[in-house]
Each structure stands twice: as structure tokens, then as C-alpha cells.
Amino acid sequence: MADGMKMIGHTGESFTVFILAEILGIHGYSVKHDGVDVVSIGGEGLPIAQRIEVKSSKDLAEPKKFLFSYSCARGKKPKRCYRKGDCDIIAFVSLLDKSIIFKAVEDIPMVTKKIHQRDFKTEGITEKTWKEALRKSYKTTQLLLNDFFDNE
């Protein structure tokens, strides 16, 4: 990965930790462990820690269409989309707009995710998508725990 891309990634991770604390009241820590960039371990409305994969962009991939493009893949060949075993939530960061859209990993079944710039500019988008992603992540975690304990 080129140094410029690493810098964008590190900036997006730091921005995510900042937004978690400042806007959402969540304690987040940069971890860089096995594909997880940030872990949120406590704060308002967070009974279970969440593993967050951060995807950052500072430029539009398709300027005429106002689209950001994010790679949501693991591995080299073949690439595969992220799964619940990899992380709980994916944070899509627009450094251009200083905004984050959170999605539960289950909601991103593709290796490339395109997001329109207007979505990042929507009032309250960070708070709204955090709550939605968290709710979905908790539901999936509960189902996995139920399956685990039912099979003992």
C-alpha cells in the first residue's frame, strides 16, 4: 500500500475514534488487530464491544457522479467481502466532507461499496447510521449466541 493511502487510512481511523467519543459518547480505541481498525468498548448505549473496520477516502472516485468508492474486501485472491467473523461494523469515512456512515457488516455483501456524496452531507447521518448499524450488529450477535448455546 502506498504511503499516501496509509496516511489516508490512519487519518480516517483517528477521525472515527474522535467522532465516536465527541459525537456519540463511545470509547473507541485504534487497535490494528487482525483486520480490525477500531474497537469500541464502552459508552452510552454500548453494552457489547464492537469491532470496527474503517474505510477512508479523501477524494471522489467518480467526480462527475459524486461517488465515493470503498474496497470492502479481505484477502488477495480470491477477494471476499467482510463477514461477522471479521468485524461487526464498517465505518465509511469521507475526509472530504468530514463525515462517517456506519453500516453493519451484514449489510455490505459486496467487495466494493459506492456511496453518493450527498449521503455524507445528510444532517445527522453519523448518529443515525451508528444507531442502525449497532442495532443490526446486536441482533446478529444475539442470533449467533443463541445458535452457539443451542448446539452445546
Side-chain angles (χ1 to χ4, degrees):
M1 180 184 299
D3 286 342
M5 289 177 67
K6 278 188 181 182
M7 182 65 79
I8 292 166
H10 291 309
T11 303
E13 292 160 16
S14 297
F15 183 67
T16 300
V17 170
F18 171 76
I19 292 299
L20 285 170
E22 190 71 15
I23 306 285
L24 302 171
I26 303 295
H27 306 291
Y29 300 92
S30 204
V31 292
K32 286 295 198 194
H33 176 70
D34 196 29
V36 174
D37 298 316
V38 173
V39 173
S40 60
I41 61 167
E44 191 174 319
L46 189 72
I48 301 172
Q50 296 294 296
R51 300 163 299 149
I52 303 169
E53 176 65 27
V54 178
K55 298 298 178 182
S56 307
S57 182
K58 71 173 188 68
D59 297 313
L60 294 167
E62 298 179 38
K64 290 181 180 177
K65 295 181 180 180
F66 299 97
L67 290 174
F68 289 95
S69 183
Y70 298 91
S71 172
C72 302
R74 282 202 61 148
K76 300 222 186 256
K77 290 189 181 182
K79 288 187 176 206
R80 66 167 178 82
C81 57
Y82 287 99
R83 299 187 281 237
K84 186 69 171 176
D86 302 316
C87 63
D88 300 302
I89 293 174
I90 300 177
F92 297 99
V93 178
S94 167
L95 296 172
L96 183 64
D97 300 298
K98 297 177 182 65
S99 181
I100 303 174
I101 292 176
F102 293 98
K103 293 284 187 184
V105 69
E106 302 87 347
D107 290 338
I108 310 297
M110 67 283 288
V111 295
T112 302
K113 174 70 175 165
K114 294 187 179 191
I115 302 176
H116 198 281
Q117 187 176 21
R118 75 173 165 264
D119 296 337
F120 284 104
K121 294 181 177 192
T122 302
E123 181 80 25
I125 194 67
T126 298
E127 297 90 338
K128 179 180 184 279
T129 59
W130 172 255
K131 288 176 185 172
E132 290 170 352
L134 202 55
R135 191 173 304 117
K136 178 84 176 243
S137 177
Y138 284 163
K139 280 185 181 180
T140 305
T141 299
Q142 185 63 51
L143 290 172
L144 290 170
L145 287 170
N146 289 345
D147 285 349
F148 176 80
F149 289 115
D150 288 347
N151 291 324
E152 280 192 319

